[in-house]
């Protein structure tokens, strides 16, 4: 396929996804201007707007190629760039015991969340996405795991919807634990890092409690994010075997996870110029929003709603289980 023909094929879908992205970014800016904080971030707005467009007006055949490209290839590139924002050194400073406990909490949460989702009748791949989103880092874990297990756009949209709803509730309600449970700043920071989905949400949930909570909460959250690479590799291996075939290396170790880890290593070795860190983070964020807009444009809301209640129930019960695991972790650290 010539470059010109490829541009013609991808252009309409990419342009449509870009328009949804700009609208989502504008909605987040307006939210910050009016409310002071982005309680619903642009990523979620992009999915909602894209899904609303597809559900209300359908998706023209000419836009499908570009939408598919944005929802897969651009998403994988965004995951690679995300690696530049994480350093192994930050994790190492936390100490071996904390590292081990956080890893155990993530692994146990994955198993429990998956089991609860299956008991509630969710399909295998959707249950896997719910477990990854709940246990690791919300939307980022879902979008990283989805291509590895070949999840449907409907499954991705459903699982991200639950992380959006529960993530907001966690930020608003978690600070009550300081009073109700009598937690000090360090204990609350660990709890927030183990239970809140996204790094910005951890900052929002800990900022009002104190600087110590912000610091330990961010470190613990980054440790959870670091589990993403190993978990995705295991998912690739498991997915290959469950399909009755010998998994290829690209399934066990997708190129975007290799790139993610390589950029983490470069960041750790301080080989990425400081001036490049902010642009790389911005590029990763915008590509993620663009890919989520495309994902929304791939989804008919009517098919998502058939599993919506069960997904929310699975996410809620999984979050309660994660809270229990976090309480045990506080005793062990």
């Amino acid at each position: 396929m010539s470059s010109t023909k490829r541009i013609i094929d991808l252009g309409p879908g990419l342009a449509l996804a870009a328009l949804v992205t700009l609208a989502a970014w504008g909605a987040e800016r307006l939210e910050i201007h009016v409310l002071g904080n982005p309680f619903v971030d642009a990523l979620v707005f992009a999915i909602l707007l894209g899904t609303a467009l597809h559900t209300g007006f359908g998706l023209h055949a000419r836009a499908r190629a570009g939408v598919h490209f944005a929802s897969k290839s651009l998403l994988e590139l965004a995951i690679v760039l995300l690696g530049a924002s994480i350093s192994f050194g930050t994790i190492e400073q936390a100490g071996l015991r904390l590292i081990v406990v956080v890893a155990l909490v993530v692994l146990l949460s994955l198993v429990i969340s998956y089991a609860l989702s299956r008991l509630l009748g969710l399909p295998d791949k959707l249950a896997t996405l719910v477990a990854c989103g709940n246990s690791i880092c919300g939307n980022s874990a879902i979008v990283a795991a989805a291509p590895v297990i070949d999840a449907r756009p409907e499954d991705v949209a459903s699982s991200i919807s639950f992380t959006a709803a529960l993530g907001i509730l966690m930020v608003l309600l978690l600070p009550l634990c300081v009073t109700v449970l009598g937690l000090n700043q360090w204990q609350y920071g660990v709890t927030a890092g183990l239970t809140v989905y996204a790094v910005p949400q951890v900052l929002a949930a800990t900022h009002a409690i104190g600087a110590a909570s912000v610091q330990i909460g961010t470190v613990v959250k980054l440790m959870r994010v670091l589990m993403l690479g190993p978990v995705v590799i295991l998912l690739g291996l498991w997915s290959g075997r469950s399909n009755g075939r010998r998994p290829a290396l690209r399934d066990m170790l997708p190129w975007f996870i290799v790139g993610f880890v390589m950029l983490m290593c470069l960041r750790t070795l301080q080989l990425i110029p400081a001036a490049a860190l902010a642009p790389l983070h911005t590029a990763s964020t915008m590509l993620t929003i663009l890919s989520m807009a495309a994902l929304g444009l791939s989804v008919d809301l009517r098919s998502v709603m058939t599993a919506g209640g069960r997904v929310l129930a699975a996410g809620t019960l999984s979050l309660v289980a994660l809270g229990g695991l976090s309480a045990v972790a506080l005793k062990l650290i």
Side-chain angles (χ1 to χ4, degrees):
M1 182 184 295
S2 67
S3 299
T4 302
K5 187 176 186 306
R6 185 160 179 79
I7 291 172
I8 293 174
D9 287 344
L10 298 181
L14 288 174
L16 180 59
L19 287 174
V20 174
T21 299
L22 288 174
W25 182 82
E28 183 186 78
R29 295 297 98 188
L30 179 62
E31 186 181 21
I32 293 173
H33 177 73
V34 174
L35 302 176
N37 287 293
F39 293 102
V40 179
D41 61 26
L43 185 150
V44 176
F45 276 129
I47 291 179
L48 295 176
L49 290 172
T51 300
L53 282 175
H54 186 151
T55 303
F57 304 99
L59 183 66
H60 196 282
R62 288 190 59 191
R64 289 174 186 166
V67 165
H68 176 74
F69 176 81
S71 67
K72 185 178 186 301
S73 299
L74 295 185
L75 172 60
E76 293 173 347
L77 179 58
I79 294 169
V80 172
L81 297 180
L82 180 64
S85 64
I86 305 170
S87 169
F88 284 108
T90 303
I91 309 304
E92 184 182 5
Q93 294 173 6
L96 180 60
R97 171 175 282 194
L98 183 58
I99 293 172
V100 171
V101 169
V102 171
L104 286 174
V105 168
V106 169
L107 294 175
L108 287 172
S109 178
L110 281 168
V111 173
I112 294 172
S113 296
Y114 177 81
L116 288 170
S117 299
R118 294 293 281 160
L119 285 172
L120 287 169
L122 296 187
D124 174 63
K125 291 179 180 179
L126 180 53
T128 301
L129 295 181
V130 170
C132 289
N134 180 74
S135 306
I136 305 174
C137 50
N139 298 334
S140 298
I142 291 169
V143 298
V148 177
I149 63 174
D150 196 25
R152 301 180 308 157
E154 291 84 355
D155 291 342
V156 180
S158 294
S159 51
I160 285 182
S161 296
F162 104 78
T163 61
L166 294 180
I168 294 170
L169 285 177
M170 284 295 292
V171 171
L172 295 175
L173 299 179
L174 193 63
L176 296 176
C177 291
V178 174
T179 302
V180 175
L181 301 179
L183 301 179
N184 60 36
Q185 284 198 32
W186 188 90
Q187 291 171 325
Y188 176 78
V190 171
T191 301
L194 285 173
T195 56
V196 176
Y197 291 137
V199 175
Q201 290 176 341
V202 171
L203 296 176
T206 56
H207 179 75
I209 305 303
S213 288
V214 173
Q215 184 178 20
I216 188 62
T218 303
V219 169
V220 171
K221 180 60 199 172
L222 290 177
M223 290 166 63
R224 284 174 69 198
V225 173
L226 266 185
M227 293 292 291
L228 181 60
V231 167
V232 169
I233 293 171
L234 290 175
L235 284 177
L237 179 61
W238 170 71
S239 180
R241 287 182 174 176
S242 65
N243 291 331
R245 60 180 173 83
R246 183 178 179 180
L249 181 61
R250 66 176 178 272
D251 296 325
M252 295 184 291
L253 199 62
W255 77 270
F256 57 91
I257 295 300
V258 175
F260 174 86
V261 174
M262 287 180 64
L263 278 189
M264 282 184 62
C265 292
L266 291 175
R267 171 69 186 274
T268 301
L269 297 173
Q270 298 183 345
L271 295 178
I272 300 177
L277 294 178
L280 285 172
H281 177 73
T282 300
S284 176
T285 300
M286 294 307 296
L287 284 173
T288 300
I289 298 171
L290 179 63
S291 65
M292 291 300 100
L295 179 72
L297 289 167
S298 305
V299 173
D300 188 327
L301 184 61
R302 288 163 291 191
S303 62
V304 173
M305 291 302 292
T306 59
R310 287 176 293 157
V311 172
L312 189 59
T316 301
L317 291 175
S318 298
L319 191 56
V320 170
L322 182 58
L325 291 172
S326 301
V328 174
L330 286 178
K331 300 293 184 181
L332 296 176
I333 297 173

